[in-house]
Amino acid sequence: MPDGLTVFDDEAAALANLDRALLDALRRAATDAAGDGVEFIVNSGWRSPEYQDELLREAISEYGSEEEAARWVATAATSPHVSGEAVDIGDFDATLWLSEHGAGYGLCQIYDNEPWHYELRPATVELGCPVPYTDPTDDPRMQQ
């Protein structure tokens, strides 16, 4: 991923391969956040299965076990990044803005330990975001 990638940079595969509804919600939120002086920088979006596997191998090496690595990195088979359904937003101001306003766009923080990781939950526009999982090991989608 190039540094400084915004949600409006269509040429990057990390954005071009995101779920269209997620990208649209991100762009609406980013447009409104810009009015508050906040820019959304994308640290990670869509990932190829090969890249996800590489990230998992690196996490296992860093954390010393598959169990500990699973708190931070999903397998290619379970990662919402691989399916284009997750985005990692950089910079504290952007994640703070999303934590306060994201539900209005259907954008929710999914994991307590990853304040940068957002996924689309359209029902949250009316209901608010669900309580985040502690980390990915608590997410039933990761239990495949």
Side-chain angles (χ1 to χ4, degrees):
M1 296 242 340
D3 287 339
L5 189 72
T6 75
V7 298
F8 300 103
D9 292 322
D10 287 325
E11 68 280 357
L15 289 171
N17 292 323
L18 282 179
D19 173 78
R20 193 55 38 191
L22 170 60
L23 185 57
D24 290 345
L26 280 167
R27 288 179 171 169
R28 286 192 318 274
T31 298
D32 291 346
D36 292 333
V38 175
E39 183 178 38
F40 288 8
I41 300 298
V42 178
N43 288 338
S44 188
W46 171 84
R47 299 175 187 156
S48 70
E50 297 78 18
Y51 181 55
Q52 188 68 32
D53 286 340
E54 179 183 330
L55 291 175
L56 182 56
R57 284 190 303 275
E58 289 172 2
I60 292 168
S61 177
E62 179 179 346
Y63 295 109
S65 71
E66 289 183 24
E67 293 77 22
E68 187 61 23
R71 295 187 61 233
W72 302 99
V73 181
T75 67
T78 61
S79 174
H81 284 282
V82 172
S83 62
E85 297 172 346
V87 65
D88 293 347
I89 299 294
D91 158 336
F92 177 76
D93 290 343
T95 59
L96 179 62
W97 194 95
L98 279 171
S99 72
E100 294 173 1
H101 305 286
Y105 303 87
L107 299 168
C108 295
Q109 178 186 342
I110 302 302
Y111 306 116
D112 275 338
N113 71 328
E114 296 184 10
W116 54 83
H117 180 98
Y118 280 81
E119 296 180 24
L120 184 64
R121 300 289 187 267
T124 65
V125 172
E126 293 180 18
L127 304 174
C129 288
V131 174
Y133 298 109
T134 301
D135 62 46
T137 62
D138 288 339
D139 185 343
R141 300 174 302 167
M142 301 301 133
Q143 308 309 313
Q144 296 180 356

